Amino acid sequence: MNNKLYGNLIFELSHKGRRGYSLPDTGIATHHLPEALCRESEAELPECDELTVVRHYTNLSANNFGVNNGFYPLGSCTMKYNPAINEEMAALPGFANLHPLQPADTCQGALEVYYNLQRSLAALTGLSEFTLNPFAGAHGELTGLMIIRAYHQSRNDDKRVKVIVPDSAHGTNPASAAVCGLEVVEVKSRADGSVDVEDLRGLLDDGVAAMMMTNPNTLGMFERDIPEIARLVHECGGLMYYDGANLNPMLGVCRPGDMGFDVMHINLHKTFSTPHGGGGPGSGPVGVRAGLEAFLPAPRVVCEDGTYRIENDGEAIHIGAFLGNFAVIIRAYTYILSLGHENVRMVGPLATLNANYIKDSLKDLYKLPIEGRCKHEFVFDGLADKSTGVTTMDVAKRLLDYGYHAPTIYFPLLFHESLMIEPTESESIDTIDGFIEVMRRIAEEAATDPELVKSAPHSTPIGRVDDVLAAKRPTLTVKQIQS
């Protein structure tokens, strides 16, 4: 790419007086804004011709990385392939051109999709009812905790304000509890990464509102003590909350509702295939067991005698004005229908197979802190041989030179050099073998030529950046760059 012609910023290509459009005079009178609402000076916008703009953004897009052009083993985020049929369905005019305030009788097809996905998710998770309103996983967590709080308050049990969270949990768990006005209580993990049931016993009292758990946990290990944990929490009057971030390996194997969970959220954009890199779009449906349906937020889609309508109970909690991110809902429903009942059952086992294959193929060169069969993901604690000073960050940067997106690094915080890998079920044996070969090659480079790895990446448009300086002194405006 000629960086002089196609700079990193469109402002660098600006030339005064150039325009990318030419519109005819329509002869239609315009209404001028009141002077008090007008800018005192013109907006500082780039002035470019159309072809320059098209080439600039096309060339920048070629530098993007995603599941459509490479392996993306980002642990804990399930960056699976998103079938093109999903995008085609979401772009159908009958769906794409809807307005959220349309009368229900003009959008029965859309409401049917919405309702059917609610029922599909209930069947897949073993719960009674779902809302699709939340716009993200964390938004779903907050919604689920609001449901739990509303349940306890309906019983005049206002003293229940504690939420028990494992020390290995996603950071959104304690954050969501705090935002909901609840008190966070941490329960320790055992050496194998599972919840320490004995530590949990000492935390249970009549102030516990709920316990939040992710299963498999953040280390990719299945929590085998859930029946006992659920019994203990329920006996003290609390509810069990399932963080659905790691639901992918559970599909077709087991259901949170059958394990004893009362409330859960699903990261629809992870488990059910919607592109979500770069912060969106997202969807965090929340499901509840029988007996808690009345606490779900409004508005809700219900079906009566084959007709779908929107129910807006004024007494229910409200977490958004409308019915969630409908484009994501369309994609997820398409994904479920495309797989069908028999193939949805293969998602979890294949994700587990791929993860264990990579783990066992690399554990001689990368430190495996927890032995045993993982589920969809696993965590290495950096290189097994740390004598040359090559870190997890260096390994991640070197992977970029070989055309792979780096896995999640330095999370979870239980290990100093965490390298968290999740291959998902959709990757072929050829792709996985190629990744394994590159990871082994990087381990060899770390031993024989460590400076090559420490100075990576070498083939990307931007080399190694100073992460600390970027966080402390970010460049956020064009003026900063030009100065």
Side-chain angles (χ1 to χ4, degrees):
M1 181 192 299
N2 184 340
N3 287 322
K4 184 177 180 181
L5 184 58
Y6 305 110
N8 290 325
L9 296 173
I10 190 67
F11 288 88
E12 297 174 293
L13 308 179
S14 178
H15 292 274
K16 190 171 181 59
R18 288 191 180 175
R19 292 186 178 185
Y21 65 92
S22 178
L23 300 178
D25 182 0
T26 63
I28 300 175
T30 58
H31 295 278
H32 295 286
L33 291 172
E35 186 175 346
L37 298 179
C38 294
R39 300 175 58 95
E40 295 181 1
S41 59
E42 290 189 9
E44 296 183 35
L45 300 176
E47 298 179 70
C48 302
D49 60 275
E50 180 179 348
L51 192 53
T52 295
V53 172
V54 170
R55 286 173 175 167
H56 171 72
Y57 286 109
T58 299
N59 280 290
L60 284 185
S61 70
N63 289 327
N64 281 344
F65 192 95
V67 291
N68 283 357
N69 58 358
F71 185 35
Y72 205 136
L74 197 63
S76 200
C77 274
T78 314
M79 297 295 285
K80 67 171 67 179
Y81 171 65
N82 310 287
I85 187 66
N86 297 3
E87 304 304 313
E88 291 182 27
M89 295 301 101
L92 288 173
F95 292 141
N97 297 331
L98 287 174
H99 191 282
L101 292 179
Q102 279 186 228
D105 61 357
T106 68
C107 52
Q108 283 291 294
L111 296 182
E112 181 179 357
V113 167
Y114 193 100
Y115 180 83
N116 287 347
L117 182 58
Q118 290 178 166
R119 303 314 312 148
S120 296
L121 296 180
L124 287 166
T125 60
L127 294 172
S128 174
E129 189 59 82
F130 266 82
T131 174
L132 309 184
N133 293 17
F135 284 92
H139 196 201
E141 282 183 21
L142 177 61
T143 302
L145 290 169
M146 291 171 69
I147 289 170
I148 289 171
R149 188 160 196 180
Y151 163 76
H152 289 305
Q153 289 175 342
S154 73
R155 297 157 56 88
N156 297 317
D157 205 352
D158 296 331
K159 63 181 177 298
R160 293 192 178 273
V161 294
K162 297 178 183 178
V163 175
I164 300 174
V165 177
D167 58 8
S168 64
H170 298 111
T172 51
N173 285 186
S176 297
V179 170
C180 196
L182 299 168
E183 177 186 338
V184 179
V185 178
E186 185 177 271
V187 60
K188 296 178 181 177
S189 295
R190 293 183 291 228
D192 64 358
S194 62
V195 170
D196 188 332
V197 179
E198 293 308 311
D199 185 53
L200 174 64
R201 292 180 193 274
L203 303 176
L204 298 174
D205 56 32
D206 62 1
V208 172
M211 179 171 181
M212 302 182 78
M213 290 188 69
T214 306
N215 191 41
N217 60 30
T218 308
L219 299 173
M221 307 301 289
F222 189 86
E223 293 276 2
R224 297 184 179 276
D225 293 323
I226 282 181
E228 176 67 4
I229 292 171
R231 183 185 68 80
L232 292 171
V233 172
H234 287 148
E235 283 183 355
C236 85
L239 298 182
M240 290 290 292
Y241 183 93
Y242 183 94
D243 177 344
N246 293 348
L247 181 64
N248 205 54
M250 298 292 96
L251 291 182
V253 181
C254 55
R255 306 187 304 175
D258 299 334
M259 300 178 197
F261 287 96
D262 305 288
V263 182
M264 74 170 292
H265 85 270
I266 295 174
N267 290 56
L268 207 63
H269 49 283
K270 292 183 184 182
T271 308
F272 296 100
S273 80
T274 290
H276 64 283
S283 179
V286 172
V288 296
R289 63 159 169 80
L292 295 177
E293 298 94 340
F295 301 100
L296 286 167
R300 295 174 59 192
V301 174
V302 297
C303 180
E304 295 176 348
D305 300 325
T307 299
Y308 302 91
R309 65 180 180 84
I310 299 174
E311 189 176 75
N312 205 335
D313 182 359
E315 299 298 319
I317 61 173
H318 284 71
I319 50 94
F322 301 112
L323 292 168
N325 193 334
F326 187 63
V328 176
I329 290 165
I330 290 289
R331 293 181 177 101
Y333 187 54
T334 303
Y335 175 76
I336 291 172
L337 292 182
S338 297
L339 287 179
H341 180 270
E342 64 282 1
N343 290 319
V344 166
R345 296 169 62 88
M346 297 174 62
V347 170
L350 285 175
T352 299
L353 175 64
N354 286 350
N356 280 277
Y357 178 59
I358 295 176
K359 173 176 66 69
D360 289 345
S361 299
L362 293 175
K363 65 182 182 181
D364 60 324
L365 295 176
Y366 293 84
K367 182 179 178 181
L368 183 65
I370 296 179
E371 292 284 352
R373 182 178 298 169
C374 66
K375 293 302 175 185
H376 63 307
E377 65 188 4
F378 60 92
V379 181
F380 285 132
D381 189 6
L383 286 160
D385 178 8
K386 295 179 170 57
S387 62
T388 60
V390 173
T391 66
T392 283
M393 175 67 80
D394 300 328
V395 172
K397 296 294 186 183
R398 184 61 175 149
L399 271 170
L400 305 182
D401 285 328
Y402 288 104
Y404 295 98
H405 194 286
T408 298
I409 60 174
Y410 299 113
F411 178 81
L413 304 178
L414 296 176
F415 310 114
H416 184 62
E417 289 287 325
S418 290
L419 186 70
M420 192 179 196
I421 299 173
E422 179 181 358
T424 78
E425 74 284 351
S426 51
E427 297 296 341
S428 70
I429 186 68
D430 303 308
T431 297
I432 291 175
D433 280 342
F435 177 73
I436 291 169
E437 180 184 349
V438 165
M439 288 289 285
R440 297 189 69 84
R441 190 179 306 166
I442 292 172
E444 180 183 348
E445 292 172 345
T448 60
D449 190 2
E451 291 307 314
L452 175 68
V453 185
K454 291 179 180 180
S455 58
H458 304 284
S459 60
T460 53
I462 298 175
R464 181 74 69 106
V465 297
D466 187 329
D467 296 319
V468 175
L469 183 63
K472 290 184 175 181
R473 293 172 53 190
T475 300
L476 303 176
T477 68
V478 178
K479 288 183 178 180
Q480 282 181 282
I481 295 172
Q482 293 174 339
S483 62

